[in-house]
Amino acid sequence: MARFQAPRGTRDLLPAQMAAWQRLRALAEGLATRYGYQPIETPLFEDSAVFERAIGAATDVVEKELFRIAGAGETRDGDVRWALRPEATAGIVRAFVEHGMHTLPQPVRLTTFGPMFRYDRPQAGRYRQFWQWNVEAIGDQGPAIDAEVIELGLAFLRDAGVAQVEVQLNSIGDAACRPAYIERLTEYLRGVEDRLPPLERQRLQTNPLRVLDSKDPVLAPILADAPLIADHLCAECAAHYAGLRGHLEALSVPIRPAPQIVRGLDYYTRTAFEYFVPGREGQQQALGGGGRYDGLAELLGGRPTPGVGLAIGIDRVAAVIEEAVPTAASRPVAVVVGADAAATGDRLRLATDLRRAGIAAGADLATRKLARQLDGAARLGAHFAVVVGDELADGQVQLRDLEAGTQRLVNVVDLARELQRAQASHRHGQAEQRGARADSR
Ligand code: HAM
């Protein structure tokens, strides 16, 4: 029989990885609530024109990485109408326009957490399905709101346990100053055209700014001498950029000016930033990034509306914090086991009662020897085993503390309360131990 595997560039997130995932998601949702960002869900696919217009037809994400999809019988002359979302911003701004959110108090702060799809060449840190946490603040020109967003991303990474994070910051100008800069850049690139790989030569014609974002290492020495947009900002963009740096300084957010950052999506104006672990600044290493997109709502048929946002790459953050071990949250407090291997019904009933009382309880429902059941409970990381035996006839069970190796008889009616009490004192004990450790440092 044929055996199947997850598609190339995708992976199954097994329970061990999901523990980290759930923690990161809870952290993101907690921060979003605290900062006033409201949840939104948009479809996993959109009309491909949403991405073509928002992200730009001549970008890697649209040209090479869009998963174009069609329903059965839906293609006409090879025309595929839909695409899986490669990022969340375009869909969120589409929803903002569609639902007339400009009538709400501005800015509208939105957040979403979910999978994105890019038909990228798979390699470490680059997947075809990956997860992002996204925040968008739509309807404020900044620069204070830009600082809020950048600080929020940093707060997430720090709380997630990324020991060192560097914020790289740039301004990439706007419709007033970018055209003149692009002319300067084009002039420079024409001068070195014979050294450019074919794709970049083509880019030079269609979208010269994208040459700066190329993943081809051959370009590094050529780009090192290219003119920088930060040196060609108009007065308004320069003032916005200076204002943003001032706000970040006031919030004690350290930044590194990064004049080479242009970002891979065409919708950006002015602010552009990325988060890195210092020393790991390669193309596949950004833990997240974002920026301002003042022209995007208009591109998607709305009225002119400024916006700024960011996305954190959850796969990359999880890899950095290496949380492949199950966390306490996924461990049962108790597993119900039994001397009579066949009496699975008793074990299921007792575990169900404990679960209804709010206790994370497992039940060994296999008909195997008690010793094997106890082994299994210990492997799950349970603190207690509830051992069901002949005493059940008198309404009692043995409560075995698997960590202390002690055991005592408990009335079934008291079991939930006993477990709660034991759990609470266990946690208290752990906290005291932690406290003692901290004192001794
Ligand atoms: P982005 O820089 O394309 O921005 O993606 C943000 C983050 O998603 C990256 O820094 C990276 O951590 C993660 N990421 C991107 N592609 C992959 C991949 N193939 N595999 C694994 N992780 C990946 C955006 O998507 C913008 N929408 C961010 C934004 C929001 N700008 C304004 N608002």
Side-chain angles (χ1 to χ4, degrees), residues 86-89 118 120 125-127 130 132 134-136 263 265 267-268 274 286-291 293 308-313 315-316:
E87 55 108 51
T89 312
R118 294 185 194 177
D120 216 337
R126 241 208 248 169
Y127 301 99
F130 58 97
Q132 280 186 350
N134 220 90
V135 302
E136 311 290 352
R263 311 275 296 136
L265 315 164
Y267 54 59
Y268 288 115
E274 289 182 337
L287 297 181
Y293 45 83
V308 62
L310 68 78
I312 300 284
D315 304 73
R316 293 187 191 171

Coordinates of all heavy atoms in Angstrom, one line a residue, residues 86-89 118 120 125-127 130 132 134-136 263 265 267-268 274 286-291 293 308-313 315-316, ligand 1:
P86 N -0.9 34.4 1.6 CA 0.6 34.3 2.0 C 0.9 35.1 3.2 O 2.0 35.0 3.8 CB 1.3 34.9 0.8 CG 0.3 35.8 0.2 CD -1.1 35.3 0.5
E87 N 0.0 35.9 3.6 CA 0.1 36.8 4.8 C -1.3 37.3 5.1 O -2.2 37.0 4.4 CB 1.1 37.9 4.5 CG 0.7 38.7 3.3 CD 0.2 40.1 3.6 OE1 0.8 40.8 4.4 OE2 -0.9 40.5 3.1
A88 N -1.4 38.0 6.3 CA -2.7 38.4 6.7 C -3.2 39.8 6.5 O -4.3 40.1 6.4 CB -2.8 38.1 8.3
T89 N -2.2 40.7 6.2 CA -2.5 42.1 6.2 C -3.5 42.4 5.0 O -4.4 43.2 5.2 CB -1.2 42.9 6.0 OG1 -0.3 42.5 7.0 CG2 -1.4 44.4 6.2
R118 N 3.0 29.9 1.6 CA 3.9 30.5 0.5 C 4.6 29.3 -0.2 O 5.2 28.5 0.5 CB 4.9 31.4 1.1 CG 4.3 32.7 1.7 CD 5.3 33.7 2.1 NE 4.6 34.7 2.9 CZ 5.2 35.8 3.5 NH1 6.5 35.9 3.4 NH2 4.5 36.6 4.2
D120 N 7.3 28.5 -1.2 CA 8.7 28.9 -1.1 C 9.6 27.7 -1.3 O 9.0 26.6 -1.1 CB 8.9 29.5 0.3 CG 9.8 30.6 0.3 OD1 10.7 30.7 -0.6 OD2 9.8 31.4 1.3
G125 N 13.6 26.9 8.7 CA 12.9 28.2 9.0 C 12.0 28.7 7.9 O 11.5 29.8 8.0
R126 N 11.9 28.0 6.8 CA 11.1 28.4 5.7 C 10.2 27.3 5.3 O 10.6 26.3 4.8 CB 11.9 28.8 4.5 CG 11.8 30.3 4.1 CD 12.0 30.4 2.6 NE 13.2 31.2 2.4 CZ 13.8 31.3 1.2 NH1 13.3 30.7 0.2 NH2 14.9 32.0 1.1
Y127 N 8.9 27.5 5.5 CA 7.9 26.4 5.3 C 6.9 26.9 4.2 O 6.8 28.1 4.0 CB 7.2 26.1 6.6 CG 8.1 25.6 7.6 CD1 8.5 26.4 8.7 CD2 8.6 24.3 7.6 CE1 9.4 25.9 9.6 CE2 9.5 23.8 8.5 CZ 9.9 24.6 9.6 OH 10.8 24.2 10.5
F130 N 3.0 28.0 7.3 CA 3.7 28.5 8.6 C 2.7 29.3 9.3 O 1.6 29.7 8.8 CB 5.0 29.2 8.3 CG 4.8 30.4 7.4 CD1 4.6 31.7 7.9 CD2 4.7 30.3 6.0 CE1 4.4 32.8 7.1 CE2 4.4 31.4 5.2 CZ 4.3 32.6 5.7
Q132 N 1.6 32.7 11.7 CA 2.0 34.1 12.1 C 1.0 34.6 13.2 O -0.2 34.2 13.2 CB 1.8 35.0 10.9 CG 2.9 35.0 9.9 CD 2.8 36.1 8.8 OE1 1.7 36.7 8.7 NE2 3.8 36.3 8.1
N134 N -0.4 38.2 14.0 CA -0.5 39.4 13.2 C -1.2 40.5 14.1 O -2.2 40.2 14.7 CB -1.3 39.1 12.0 CG -0.8 39.8 10.8 OD1 0.0 39.1 10.1 ND2 -1.2 41.0 10.5
V135 N -0.7 41.7 14.1 CA -1.4 42.9 14.6 C -1.4 44.0 13.6 O -0.4 44.2 12.9 CB -0.9 43.4 16.0 CG1 -0.9 42.3 17.0 CG2 0.5 44.0 15.9
E136 N -2.6 44.7 13.5 CA -2.7 45.8 12.6 C -3.4 46.9 13.3 O -4.4 46.7 14.0 CB -3.6 45.4 11.3 CG -3.2 44.1 10.6 CD -1.8 44.2 9.9 OE1 -1.2 45.3 9.8 OE2 -1.4 43.1 9.5
R263 N 11.9 45.3 2.9 CA 10.8 44.4 3.0 C 10.4 43.8 1.7 O 10.6 44.5 0.7 CB 9.6 45.0 3.8 CG 10.0 45.7 5.1 CD 10.0 44.8 6.2 NE 8.7 44.2 6.5 CZ 8.5 42.9 6.8 NH1 9.6 42.1 6.8 NH2 7.4 42.5 7.0
L265 N 7.4 43.1 0.4 CA 6.0 43.4 0.0 C 5.9 44.8 -0.4 O 6.4 45.7 0.3 CB 5.0 43.1 1.2 CG 5.3 41.8 2.0 CD1 4.6 41.7 3.3 CD2 4.9 40.6 1.1
Y267 N 3.5 47.0 -0.4 CA 2.6 48.0 0.2 C 3.2 48.9 1.2 O 2.5 49.8 1.7 CB 1.3 47.3 0.8 CG 1.5 46.2 1.8 CD1 2.2 46.3 3.0 CD2 0.9 44.9 1.5 CE1 2.3 45.3 3.9 CE2 1.0 43.9 2.4 CZ 1.7 44.1 3.6 OH 1.8 43.1 4.5
Y268 N 4.4 48.7 1.6 CA 5.0 49.5 2.6 C 5.3 50.9 2.2 O 5.7 51.2 1.1 CB 6.3 48.8 3.2 CG 6.0 47.6 4.0 CD1 6.4 46.3 3.5 CD2 5.2 47.6 5.2 CE1 6.1 45.2 4.3 CE2 5.0 46.5 5.9 CZ 5.4 45.3 5.4 OH 5.1 44.1 6.1
E274 N 12.3 44.8 11.3 CA 12.3 43.4 11.5 C 12.9 43.1 12.8 O 13.7 43.8 13.3 CB 13.1 42.7 10.3 CG 12.3 42.8 9.0 CD 13.0 42.1 7.8 OE1 14.3 42.0 7.8 OE2 12.3 41.8 6.9
A286 N 14.6 36.2 10.2 CA 13.8 37.2 10.9 C 12.7 36.5 11.7 O 12.0 35.6 11.2 CB 13.2 38.2 9.9
L287 N 12.5 36.9 12.9 CA 11.5 36.3 13.8 C 10.2 37.0 13.5 O 9.1 36.5 13.9 CB 11.8 36.5 15.2 CG 13.1 35.8 15.7 CD1 13.3 36.0 17.2 CD2 13.0 34.3 15.4
G288 N 10.2 38.2 12.9 CA 9.0 38.9 12.5 C 9.4 40.2 11.9 O 10.5 40.5 11.8
G289 N 8.3 40.8 11.4 CA 8.6 42.1 10.7 C 7.3 42.8 10.4 O 6.2 42.2 10.6
G290 N 7.4 44.0 10.0 CA 6.2 44.8 9.7 C 6.5 46.2 9.2 O 7.7 46.4 8.8
G291 N 5.5 47.0 9.2 CA 5.7 48.4 8.8 C 4.4 49.1 8.5 O 3.3 48.5 8.8
Y293 N 1.7 51.0 6.0 CA 1.1 50.8 4.6 C 0.0 51.8 4.3 O -1.2 51.4 4.2 CB 0.6 49.3 4.5 CG -0.2 48.8 5.7 CD1 -1.6 49.1 5.8 CD2 0.4 48.1 6.7 CE1 -2.3 48.7 6.8 CE2 -0.4 47.6 7.8 CZ -1.7 47.9 7.8 OH -2.4 47.5 8.9
V308 N -0.5 50.5 10.1 CA 0.8 50.0 10.5 C 0.5 48.6 11.2 O -0.5 48.5 11.8 CB 1.6 51.0 11.4 CG1 0.9 51.3 12.7 CG2 3.0 50.5 11.6
G309 N 1.4 47.7 11.0 CA 1.2 46.4 11.7 C 2.5 45.6 11.6 O 3.6 46.0 11.2
L310 N 2.4 44.4 12.2 CA 3.5 43.5 12.2 C 3.0 42.0 12.2 O 1.8 41.7 12.5 CB 4.4 43.7 13.4 CG 3.8 43.3 14.8 CD1 3.9 41.8 15.1 CD2 4.7 44.0 15.8
A311 N 3.9 41.1 11.8 CA 3.6 39.7 11.9 C 4.8 39.0 12.5 O 6.0 39.3 12.1 CB 3.3 39.1 10.6
I312 N 4.6 38.2 13.5 CA 5.7 37.4 14.1 C 5.6 36.0 13.6 O 4.5 35.4 13.5 CB 5.5 37.3 15.7 CG1 5.5 38.7 16.3 CG2 6.5 36.4 16.3 CD1 6.8 39.4 16.4
G313 N 6.7 35.4 13.2 CA 6.7 34.0 12.6 C 6.8 33.0 13.8 O 7.8 32.9 14.4
D315 N 6.6 29.7 13.9 CA 7.5 28.6 13.7 C 9.0 28.9 14.1 O 9.7 28.1 14.7 CB 7.5 28.1 12.2 CG 6.1 27.9 11.7 OD1 5.4 28.8 11.5 OD2 5.8 26.7 11.5
R316 N 9.4 30.1 13.7 CA 10.8 30.5 14.0 C 11.0 30.8 15.4 O 12.0 30.5 16.0 CB 11.1 31.7 13.1 CG 11.2 31.4 11.7 CD 11.7 32.5 10.8 NE 11.5 32.2 9.4 CZ 11.7 33.0 8.4 NH1 12.1 34.2 8.7 NH2 11.5 32.6 7.2
Ligands
HAM1 P1 6.8 39.0 6.4 O1 8.1 39.6 6.7 O2 6.6 38.5 5.0 O3 5.7 40.1 6.7 O4 6.5 37.8 7.4 C1 6.6 38.0 8.8 C2 7.3 36.9 9.5 O5 6.7 35.6 9.1 C3 8.7 36.7 9.0 O6 9.6 37.5 9.7 C4 9.0 35.2 9.4 O7 9.3 35.1 10.8 C5 7.6 34.6 9.1 N1 7.7 33.9 7.8 C6 7.5 34.4 6.6 N2 7.6 33.5 5.6 C7 7.8 32.3 6.3 C8 8.0 31.0 5.8 N3 8.0 30.6 4.5 N4 8.2 30.0 6.8 C9 8.2 30.3 8.1 N5 8.1 31.6 8.6 C10 7.9 32.6 7.7 C11 4.3 39.9 6.6 O8 3.8 38.8 6.3 C12 3.5 41.1 6.8 N6 2.1 40.8 6.5 C13 3.7 41.7 8.2 C14 2.9 42.9 8.4 C15 1.7 43.0 9.1 N7 3.2 44.1 7.9 C16 2.2 45.0 8.3 N8 1.4 44.3 9.0

